[in-house]
Amino acid sequence: MELPNKYFKDFPIEYKKIKKKSVSGYSDTLVGKRNLNGFLVNKKVHRETRSRYLNEDLQSLIDLEEKDTMVISAPVGNGKSYAIIQTIKRFYDAKDQEYLIVVATPFVSLVEQYVNDIHHKGDIPADQIFNYGDLGRTNSQYINKKVHVVTANTLLGNPGEDSYKNSNIKRIYLNDLIADCEKRGRKVVFIYDEVHDTIPNFKEEYIFNLWKWKNVIHKNFVISATFTEASFVVIEYLAELTDKQINIVEFPRLINEENQSKLFLHYSSAYQFTSTTPEIVSVIHDLLNRNKEIDILCYSKTLSKAIINDKNIGKQLKQRFSEINDCTSENINNVRPKNEKPTNRFDNSKCNIGTNFKSGVSIEKDNHAFVVILPPRSTQNKFKNYYGIFSSGITSIIQALARQRKVGEIHIVLPRPNEFVYESLKPVMSDEQILVFSEFYEKVKNYASEKDPDKVHYIPLSYQESLVRNFYFHDLKSYVDKGIQFVSETERDELARLQYPPYKNFKLSESENYLASAFNFFGGDLSAYVTYCAISNQFVNCTLHGYSYKSTLWFEEGKTYKQLYRVFSQYFGKRYASNIFTYSNFHRGYLIIREKLFKEFDLRFKSSNSEEYEGISSYSNSHFEQQLLYFIAYYYYGKPYDTNLEDVTYSRGQYFIDCIVAAKNISLEGILDSEFKQRVQAYQDLEYFRNKLCSNFGRQERRNDQYNYLPVKPFPNFIETSEISRFNRVIYYLTKVDSFVSNNIFNFSRRFGDSFEKNRLVFYKILLQDFFEYESRPTKPRLIIYGEKQSVLPNIRALDIPETSQGINVIQQPDYTEGLLNDEFREVLDQYGTMEAYTKMLVELVLADNDDED
C-alpha cells in the first residue's frame, strides 16, 4: 500500500504564529517603542535549536529580574513541561529575591501531576509545594510555601456553571497569599500552562481577580503549542499586569523521525459510533491480539461507558488488563460542592478509557497503542456541532495526538470526510502533490457529500484573524449599527448598562466557536482536517503508516432486505434518512445511498444455491439490486413498500410500469438535458407499443367461449415502416443505456441480437409478459386471424397503468424536491454558497499577508 505522505517530505508544518501585530496592533515600525496602547513587544524565533528539547534554548532567554509577560510557543512533545519545571527551579533557587511561583493548569487532573513532577524532576522539597486540592481536606499550611499549583478557574475565581461564586475557602486562600506577598515583599510569578484550554476562565468579570495581584506580580509565563485567536486577548490581559511588556519566544515545528509514532487512520461509514462499530471492534481486537498496551480516548462520555461495559470488546479488555480506568469527567467545570477528592484521572499503570485526557497528560508506556475515536457523522450539524471533547476544533486534535510521548502506535477511528475543493490547495501544494492528495482523498471521502454545498476548503491559519474580524464587523455589528447609534444618543444613566460587546471581547469568547462551526477546515469537519494533516505530514509526533477505508457487508439471498435494514440503521441512521429524503426526490436519494454503498463498502453476497460469498460490483447482482431499489423505496414512500423485512420480487414488468407512469406526463419540449430527454422518450415509446397491443385486441364471440385475445406471434402491423426508428430507439435505450435493463437486472438485454425480425419477436413477447394477463389453458386456442390459423392468448387483459406516479421513480431528474421544505433548504444552500464565495473573497483579501514578519 503506497502512502501519499511520502510525496510531502519536508513539507512545512503550519502552526499559529504569534506575530507582534497580534498584540494590540503592534507594528514593526515601533521597534523599541510602545504602541498606542502602551505595549512593548519583542519576539525571538529559534529557527535552529541546539537540541530537540527546548529547555536549553529557553533558559538563556529568561531574565529572572525583568518584569514581563513571556509567551512561549513550542511544538508538542518538545519538553515544555520539563522547561517549565526548570524555570520554577530557577526562581525557587534565586538568592537576591524571594518569589512565590503559582502554576495555573487548565484541569484538576494535572494539578497532582505537576506537584509530583516539580518535586521529583525539579528537585524541590515536597514541603515547599502546595496542592490547592488540599484546601479543606487537610490542615496543611500554605503561607510559607514557595510553589503553589492551582487550576486556572480557581485563580480567576470562576465558580463553574453550578454556582454564583467560588468557595470561601479558595477566596481566603488567595487573599492570604496576596496579603503575605505584599507584607513580605515577595514577587509573584504566574505560569499558565496549556493556555488554550484556560480561555473560558478569562471572562471580563473574572479578570478583576488577577488585578488584585497588581502590587506583587512580577512575571507571567504563557505557554502552549496551539495558540488561538482568543489566546492573543488573554496575552494582552496578562501583560497589562506586567507593565505591558511582552517577550515572545517561538520554536520551530521540526520533525524528528526517530521520535515519531506510527499513525493509522480507520475510516468508518457508520452514521453513529457504538461499541459494536466494526472499525472500533477491529482496531481493539487487533491490538489485543498483538499484546499492546492500550488507552482509548473517546469523543463522548456515552461511547466511553459503552465500550467499558461492552460484553465483547469491553469484556476482553477487562480480561487482559484486569481493571479498566474510567476516565470520564465527574462533573462540569471541576465543580465539587462537597469538596470530594477528584477521581477518574488518567493512570499510566492502567488501561484508560474516557474523555478527560485530551490535553496535559503524558502517556509514557512501552509497546503502546493510543486509540482516538473522533465524532461520527451523526454529530455534525449545519449550525452547531456535537463533537464532545473535540468541539473546540483543530487545536483539540493536535493536543490529543500529543498525549503519546513514547514511540508507539496511534490509531484514529474517524468518519469519512466531506468533499474537498482541491483547487484551494494550489497556494501551498505543487500540482503533483495535489494529484496525490486528491487520489487518496477520493478513496476515503463520504460519497454522499459530492453534491453537498458544504465542502471543505483549505484555508491558511494566518487568515483566521481576518475571518473573525470580518464576521464581527460586517455580519454582526453592522447589522445593529443604527441601534447602537440610538443607544449612544440616549440618556440611560440609571438603567442597566447597554453596550455592544467590543471586538476583542467577542474574539475572546466566540472566535474559536465561530471558526470551528463556520469553516470545515477549522473544525466543522474534523475528519477532513486530520486527513489533510496525515497526508501532508503536519503532525510533529506521528506519521501516517497505514489506513483502512472499506468495511465488508455480508448479504444472503432470502435475507437481503432484512440485512439492508440492519446496514441502513448502523451506517446511515434516521437523521441521515431524514436529511436525504426530506429535501431530495426519490431518484436523487436512491443514487446517493447506492453510490455510498458501492464506493464505501466491500459488498459480499451468497446465493441460495452456494456456500461461498462472492463480491458484488455495481449492477452485477440482480437480486441485490432489486432488493436495494425496493428497500430505498420503503424509506422514501413508506408503508406501500413495507415487506415486513422479507425479500421481494420486483419484476421487470413492475419496473417498466413505474417508469412509464413517471414519464408519461412529461413534455419533451424544452428539455435541454439530452440524457433526461432520452430516458423520458424511451419510456413514452415503450408505452406507445404497449398501447398498440391494447388497440389490436381481437374478440372471440362463440356462444360458450367469449373472450378478448392477442395472437401468440406479432400481428402484421405490430411495427410498421414508419415506426421502425421508434422501435430501434427504445430497444437501443433499454439494451445499452438503462442502468437496470442494460445490465440484465431484469433479464432483458441478452435476448436481443442484430436481426430485426428476431428483435421484433422478442420485443412482442416481452410486452405480453410484462403488461398483460391472460388465461392459461392446456392447449392454446387456434383461430383464423389475418388469413391464417394462429394460436392466441385468451381472456387477455391489460395491467393498469396509473395516471400519476406514486411509486419508484428513476425517470425524474435526481434533484431536490419542490415545495415549502425545499424552499427552506434552498435558503440554506444559498447561505452556504454565499459562505463559500465569502470565504474565497476573504482569502483573496488577505493573500498579501505573507506571514513573513519574522
Side-chain angles (χ1 to χ4, degrees):
M1 178 190 301
E2 183 178 60
L3 297 172
N5 56 326
K6 80 173 190 176
Y7 292 90
F8 291 84
K9 191 173 180 62
D10 300 324
F11 194 77
I13 295 178
E14 187 178 10
Y15 62 98
K16 189 76 170 177
K17 294 183 178 180
I18 309 173
K19 299 179 179 182
K20 286 185 281 187
K21 67 180 180 181
S22 300
V23 182
S24 201
Y26 198 87
S27 170
D28 277 343
T29 62
L30 299 171
V31 174
K33 301 178 183 179
R34 294 182 181 270
N35 69 357
L36 292 176
N37 292 318
F39 286 92
L40 182 62
V41 185
N42 297 299
K43 181 173 180 180
K44 172 68 175 177
V45 178
H46 274 265
R47 299 199 183 279
E48 294 183 4
T49 61
R50 288 172 285 186
S51 167
R52 181 172 83 87
Y53 299 102
L54 59 87
N55 182 62
E56 184 179 351
D57 295 302
L58 178 62
Q59 294 305 328
S60 64
L61 301 174
I62 298 176
D63 183 349
L64 268 61
E65 297 180 359
E66 183 180 17
K67 185 175 184 177
D68 67 352
T69 291
M70 196 160 191
V71 182
I72 303 169
S73 172
V76 295
N78 276 46
K80 289 195 305 297
S81 297
Y82 179 78
I84 291 170
I85 292 168
Q86 296 309 306
T87 302
I88 294 171
K89 175 67 171 171
R90 286 182 64 191
F91 281 104
Y92 177 85
D93 290 337
K95 302 298 183 184
D96 299 330
Q97 171 66 50
E98 183 178 2
Y99 295 98
L100 173 71
I101 304 109
V102 180
V103 181
T105 73
F107 307 117
V108 172
S109 58
L110 296 181
V111 173
E112 191 167 334
Q113 177 181 314
Y114 254 113
V115 169
N116 292 331
D117 288 347
I118 292 169
H119 172 51
H120 294 290
K121 297 179 181 179
D123 197 26
I124 294 176
D127 61 5
Q128 285 296 314
I129 307 169
F130 183 72
N131 180 340
Y132 94 109
D134 290 339
L135 291 171
R137 297 194 186 107
T138 71
N139 294 321
S140 175
Q141 298 300 307
Y142 50 76
I143 286 295
N144 292 319
K145 297 188 177 183
K146 289 189 174 184
V147 182
H148 290 246
V149 185
V150 301
T151 57
N153 67 318
T154 293
L155 183 61
L156 279 102
N158 181 358
E161 296 181 8
D162 296 335
S163 181
Y164 296 105
K165 70 180 182 68
N166 57 337
S167 67
N168 287 331
I169 195 169
K170 291 179 182 178
R171 290 182 162 203
I172 294 169
Y173 161 67
L174 295 172
N175 285 339
D176 285 349
L177 289 182
I178 295 170
D180 182 68
C181 289
E182 290 178 336
K183 178 181 178 181
R184 294 166 52 184
R186 299 170 81 187
K187 293 184 177 180
V188 182
V189 176
F190 289 106
I191 298 174
Y192 297 90
D193 189 23
E194 309 289 6
V195 71
H196 56 275
D197 278 323
T198 66
I199 300 299
N201 295 296
F202 285 87
K203 293 181 179 179
E204 184 177 8
E205 61 266 33
Y206 300 151
I207 299 299
F208 296 99
N209 290 291
L210 292 182
W211 277 79
K212 294 171 67 175
W213 299 83
K214 183 69 171 66
N215 291 335
V216 293
I217 187 170
H218 174 67
K219 214 172 189 73
N220 290 312
F221 288 92
V222 184
I223 305 153
S224 180
T226 50
F227 281 92
T228 63
E229 285 300 317
S231 305
F232 302 148
V233 182
V234 170
I235 292 170
E236 290 179 4
Y237 269 146
L238 296 176
E240 283 189 86
L241 298 170
T242 60
D243 299 336
K244 297 186 176 180
Q245 178 88 16
I246 299 175
N247 286 306
I248 302 168
V249 182
E250 192 169 87
F251 289 87
R253 274 47 174 176
L254 302 175
I255 289 177
N256 185 335
E257 294 181 2
E258 295 180 359
N259 293 287
Q260 285 191 304
S261 291
K262 297 178 179 179
L263 174 65
F264 298 88
L265 302 180
H266 307 275
Y267 293 93
S268 175
S269 295
Y271 186 66
Q272 294 178 311
F273 287 167
T274 69
S275 60
T276 60
T277 297
E279 290 76 16
I280 295 175
V281 174
S282 176
V283 168
I284 295 174
H285 277 167
D286 173 65
L287 298 176
L288 286 169
N289 290 337
R290 292 192 287 121
N291 204 33
K292 291 285 185 180
E293 295 294 319
I294 302 172
D295 292 297
I296 305 173
L297 179 67
C298 298
Y299 82 96
S300 78
K301 181 175 180 177
T302 300
L303 180 59
S304 302
K305 295 283 190 182
I307 293 174
I308 293 171
N309 298 319
D310 185 79
K311 295 180 180 180
N312 179 14
I313 55 175
K315 181 179 180 181
Q316 292 180 44
L317 286 166
K318 289 172 185 174
Q319 289 174 342
R320 163 74 190 284
F321 296 105
S322 299
E323 179 185 358
I324 301 298
N325 190 29
D326 181 347
C327 291
T328 52
S329 299
E330 308 163 84
N331 47 57
I332 301 174
N333 285 351
N334 300 317
V335 178
R336 293 180 177 80
K338 297 182 180 179
N339 199 31
E340 301 96 336
K341 188 172 183 179
T343 59
N344 291 13
R345 297 171 176 170
F346 183 88
D347 189 332
N348 262 303
S349 67
K350 298 178 181 178
C351 170
N352 301 273
I353 301 177
T355 57
N356 64 11
F357 53 99
K358 169 179 65 71
S359 182
V361 168
S362 296
I363 304 178
E364 298 176 332
K365 300 179 182 180
D366 295 322
N367 189 37
H368 181 257
F370 184 31
V371 180
V372 180
I373 304 176
L374 296 187
R377 297 196 67 79
S378 63
T379 61
Q380 294 182 6
N381 189 283
K382 295 287 185 186
F383 305 106
K384 175 181 173 60
N385 70 57
Y386 299 91
Y387 292 168
I389 65 170
F390 296 105
S391 294
S392 58
I394 59 180
T395 58
S396 59
I397 297 293
I398 297 170
Q399 289 293 333
L401 300 190
R403 298 314 99 215
Q404 181 88 321
R405 298 303 195 188
K406 288 190 174 183
V407 174
E409 296 179 6
I410 298 177
H411 294 262
I412 304 179
V413 178
L414 68 170
R416 287 173 170 264
N418 284 338
E419 185 86 0
F420 206 103
V421 179
Y422 303 122
E423 288 186 358
S424 66
L425 295 168
K426 286 186 176 181
V428 292
M429 291 184 186
S430 68
D431 290 344
E432 181 186 27
Q433 288 172 329
I434 293 175
L435 177 62
V436 170
F437 182 95
S438 62
E439 287 177 345
F440 179 87
Y441 201 94
E442 287 294 309
K443 292 180 184 177
V444 303
K445 73 177 182 181
N446 173 42
Y447 280 90
S449 72
E450 283 190 345
K451 295 184 179 179
D452 193 328
D454 196 20
K455 297 179 181 179
V456 184
H457 290 75
Y458 165 78
I459 306 174
L461 291 174
S462 60
Y463 295 175
Q464 287 185 342
E465 204 281 331
S466 294
L467 295 171
V468 174
R469 178 176 291 275
N470 276 277
F471 178 71
Y472 172 83
F473 285 105
H474 296 162
D475 290 66
L476 297 181
K477 192 169 184 290
S478 65
Y479 184 72
V480 292
D481 271 346
K482 189 173 183 179
I484 294 172
Q485 181 181 348
F486 283 150
V487 170
S488 68
E489 296 169 350
T490 304
E491 291 290 336
R492 308 185 67 259
D493 292 344
E494 299 299 320
L495 301 177
R497 186 182 70 172
L498 190 56
Q499 178 184 9
Y500 195 79
Y503 169 61
K504 287 191 176 179
N505 291 70
F506 170 79
K507 187 175 179 179
L508 177 68
S509 62
E510 300 296 338
S511 61
E512 298 313 304
N513 290 333
Y514 165 66
L515 290 169
S517 61
F519 301 96
N520 278 328
F521 193 74
F522 293 145
D525 190 337
L526 293 173
S527 183
Y529 178 75
V530 168
T531 303
Y532 167 83
C533 290
I535 294 174
S536 59
N537 292 325
Q538 294 294 296
F539 297 126
V540 172
N541 69 318
C542 60
T543 185
L544 184 64
H545 267 252
Y547 63 95
S548 60
Y549 65 99
K550 278 196 173 185
S551 294
T552 300
L553 301 180
W554 307 89
F555 299 95
E556 297 180 43
E557 187 174 358
K559 302 178 182 178
T560 305
Y561 193 98
K562 182 177 182 180
Q563 289 159 341
L564 281 169
Y565 185 87
R566 175 183 55 79
V567 166
F568 199 87
S569 299
Q570 181 172 9
Y571 289 101
F572 295 79
K574 291 182 179 178
R575 205 175 86 190
Y576 178 92
S578 176
N579 289 342
I580 293 293
F581 293 134
T582 300
Y583 303 116
S584 299
N585 60 25
F586 171 79
H587 197 183
R588 181 178 185 270
Y590 164 74
L591 292 178
I592 288 173
I593 294 172
R594 187 180 184 284
E595 182 178 44
K596 187 176 179 70
L597 273 174
F598 280 97
K599 288 192 174 181
E600 295 188 12
F601 298 93
D602 178 20
L603 307 181
R604 301 280 171 171
F605 183 85
K606 184 172 73 171
S607 61
S608 58
N609 58 359
S610 174
E611 295 296 323
E612 301 293 330
Y613 283 90
E614 296 181 353
I616 306 175
S617 57
S618 181
Y619 296 113
S620 68
N621 187 294
S622 60
H623 183 80
F624 178 81
E625 294 286 357
Q626 291 174 24
Q627 304 311 308
L628 177 62
L629 187 62
Y630 210 85
F631 172 77
I632 296 176
Y634 163 70
Y635 259 89
Y636 189 83
Y637 296 109
K639 195 169 182 62
Y641 289 88
D642 187 355
T643 71
N644 198 26
L645 300 184
E646 299 292 333
D647 281 13
V648 297
T649 299
Y650 183 58
S651 67
R652 182 184 64 207
Q654 186 58 54
Y655 172 76
F656 282 160
I657 289 175
D658 285 339
C659 289
I660 287 173
V661 173
K664 67 185 304 180
N665 295 318
I666 298 175
S667 173
L668 294 174
E669 294 183 10
I671 297 181
L672 301 178
D673 187 318
S674 59
E675 180 183 343
F676 177 44
K677 185 173 185 177
Q678 184 185 28
R679 188 163 64 246
V680 172
Q681 192 169 49
Y683 281 97
Q684 289 183 351
D685 289 341
L686 184 62
E687 185 186 23
Y688 171 85
F689 287 110
R690 175 260 185 195
N691 291 342
K692 191 165 187 180
L693 265 66
C694 292
S695 64
N696 277 274
F697 280 0
R699 179 68 182 173
Q700 169 62 274
E701 293 291 352
R702 290 182 181 176
R703 181 180 299 177
N704 297 324
D705 195 11
Q706 298 180 357
Y707 53 82
N708 291 334
Y709 66 83
L710 276 175
V712 172
K713 294 181 179 180
F715 45 85
N717 65 337
F718 170 51
I719 298 176
E720 299 181 274
T721 302
S722 61
E723 299 169 329
I724 291 178
S725 61
R726 175 176 278 191
F727 168 73
N728 289 335
R729 188 168 61 201
V730 69
I731 296 302
Y732 174 82
Y733 182 84
L734 293 175
T735 58
K736 303 296 184 183
V737 181
D738 187 285
S739 298
F740 293 95
V741 183
S742 67
N743 286 292
N744 266 308
I745 301 305
F746 295 115
N747 187 23
F748 183 91
S749 299
R750 294 172 188 168
R751 300 169 66 179
F752 289 87
D754 297 329
S755 168
F756 171 78
E757 283 303 320
K758 177 184 177 182
N759 291 345
R760 177 174 173 272
L761 176 61
V762 170
F763 186 55
Y764 182 79
K765 289 183 176 180
I766 287 175
L767 293 175
L768 289 174
Q769 293 170 6
D770 292 347
F771 296 109
F772 299 91
E773 291 179 345
Y774 46 86
E775 182 182 351
S776 177
R777 297 183 180 182
T779 302
K780 291 183 175 62
R782 290 178 63 83
L783 303 174
I784 297 176
I785 54 178
Y786 307 114
E788 62 177 296
K789 202 167 191 178
Q790 296 185 42
S791 297
V792 299
L793 304 173
N795 282 322
I796 196 164
R797 181 185 72 83
L799 298 176
D800 291 336
I801 294 185
E803 283 299 313
T804 58
S805 176
Q806 297 295 326
I808 290 172
N809 186 342
V810 291
I811 296 298
Q812 65 193 155
Q813 286 284 64
D815 199 355
Y816 299 104
T817 53
E818 298 300 329
L820 178 60
L821 287 177
N822 185 53
D823 291 340
E824 294 175 353
F825 187 58
R826 287 189 186 280
E827 288 183 11
V828 175
L829 295 186
D830 291 342
Q831 175 188 350
Y832 274 76
T834 303
M835 179 68 75
E836 288 191 23
Y838 177 56
T839 303
K840 183 179 180 182
M841 178 271 292
L842 290 176
V843 169
E844 292 173 351
L845 184 66
V846 296
L847 271 176
D849 182 6
N850 293 321
D851 203 29
D852 58 357
E853 170 193 305
D854 306 306

